[in-house]
Amino acid sequence: EDQVTQSPEALRLQEGESSSLNCSYTVSGLRGLFWYRQDPGKGPEFLFTLYSAGEEKEKERLKATLTKKESFLHITAPKPEDSATYLCAVQETSGSRLTFGEGTQLTVNP
Amino acid sequence: DTGVSQNPRHKITKRGQNVTFRCDPISEHNRLYWYRQTLGQGPEFLTYFQNEAQLEKSRLLSDRFSAERPKGSFSTLEIQRTEQGDSAMYLCASSPGTGANQPQHFGDGTRLSIL
């Protein structure tokens, strides 16, 4: 059974203080690893897809990386508007469903 | 707005009542998914359609739950004889049919509260 574990559960940063979120996964065969951002009362918003170990994707202050066992979401010089819950999900080669972790709740203080 | 649309946004009902939610996917997306999310947890997969065919169902989807996607367009999720444990956010997502690893785009969900 696919498993996704995210850490930390919650993270508080000062504006401009860079950090990383971790997503560890166990899957029989990885088709893709997905990062989403979720604001309170909203649905998850797609950020990145990573397909193979060594791959990296960037968008503004966010950079996602992938190894065979985990993915990192690096946040460089965050701003208060980056405050949200960040979700990681895996999709295995045999199916279409996403298996999500429990998320990391990020708060960036001005 | 051309995103995934879900209605209603909120539903409050008494235990034992039936409820139905609607999802309109992004135009031309032929894959449609339903997930359930409780507070502090990530979304959990319920079921998946490709066009009008329901191709996968989670064991979370008990006999009280039924989903349809007539004509491969919008979808409905019905819960019969609701229970307290059904209280959650019900999320719908859609993706293009070209490649199973295309990202799923989510609506803002229907929040169900059981009194």
Side-chain angles (χ1 to χ4, degrees):
Chain A
E1 187 173 320
D2 301 344
Q3 282 195 312
V4 179
T5 304
Q6 292 189 245
S7 61
E9 291 184 9
L11 181 62
R12 284 186 175 274
L13 300 173
Q14 289 298 123
E15 184 172 3
E17 180 187 2
S18 301
S19 188
S20 296
L21 314 183
N22 177 262
C23 170
S24 298
Y25 65 90
T26 303
V27 64
S28 55
L30 182 69
R31 173 173 276 157
L33 185 140
F34 300 80
W35 281 98
Y36 286 85
R37 168 192 171 126
Q38 188 172 27
D39 292 301
K42 301 285 189 179
E45 176 188 348
F46 170 72
L47 294 173
F48 303 109
T49 310
L50 301 166
Y51 298 107
S52 58
E55 189 174 1
E56 299 182 351
K57 294 271 180 78
E58 284 189 68
K59 179 181 179 180
E60 296 181 356
R61 295 176 293 282
L62 301 177
K63 178 180 176 180
T65 62
L66 180 66
T67 73
K68 288 187 178 179
K69 294 183 178 180
E70 56 191 352
S71 177
F72 291 93
L73 185 65
H74 307 278
I75 303 176
T76 302
K79 299 182 177 181
E81 53 261 43
D82 294 322
S83 296
T85 295
Y86 290 85
L87 295 164
C88 169
V90 297
Q91 185 182 52
E92 66 173 47
T93 52
S94 62
S96 295
R97 68 171 68 186
L98 295 179
T99 300
F100 283 86
E102 295 184 350
T104 293
Q105 185 174 6
L106 175 66
T107 304
V108 182
N109 296 314
Chain B
D1 187 8
T2 57
V4 176
S5 176
Q6 293 190 245
N7 288 288
R9 291 295 316 278
H10 303 276
K11 180 70 177 179
I12 301 172
T13 192
K14 294 181 179 180
R15 183 167 52 91
Q17 298 294 305
N18 299 344
V19 293
T20 301
F21 313 137
R22 176 178 170 127
C23 171
D24 288 272
I26 293 171
S27 178
E28 299 180 359
H29 279 191
N30 61 11
R31 295 171 187 249
L32 186 147
Y33 309 80
W34 285 98
Y35 292 82
R36 181 173 67 187
Q37 185 177 27
T38 54
L39 198 63
Q41 303 294 313
E44 292 179 297
F45 172 79
L46 293 177
T47 190
Y48 150 61
F49 290 85
Q50 182 159 333
N51 298 312
E52 65 274 10
Q54 189 173 19
L55 297 186
E56 191 176 354
K57 290 167 62 173
S58 165
R59 62 179 184 272
L60 291 175
L61 211 67
S62 76
D63 291 345
R64 297 184 298 105
F65 287 69
S66 63
E68 294 182 342
R69 193 182 181 197
K71 302 179 183 178
S73 56
F74 71 91
S75 176
T76 57
L77 178 67
E78 181 183 16
I79 309 174
Q80 296 182 326
R81 305 181 303 282
T82 52
E83 301 174 354
Q84 291 284 354
D86 297 332
S87 295
M89 175 80 88
Y90 290 84
L91 293 163
C92 176
S94 69
S95 68
T98 53
N101 57 2
Q102 291 291 320
Q104 297 175 21
H105 297 273
F106 285 81
D108 285 337
T110 294
R111 179 165 295 283
L112 175 64
S113 298
I114 308 296
L115 300 178

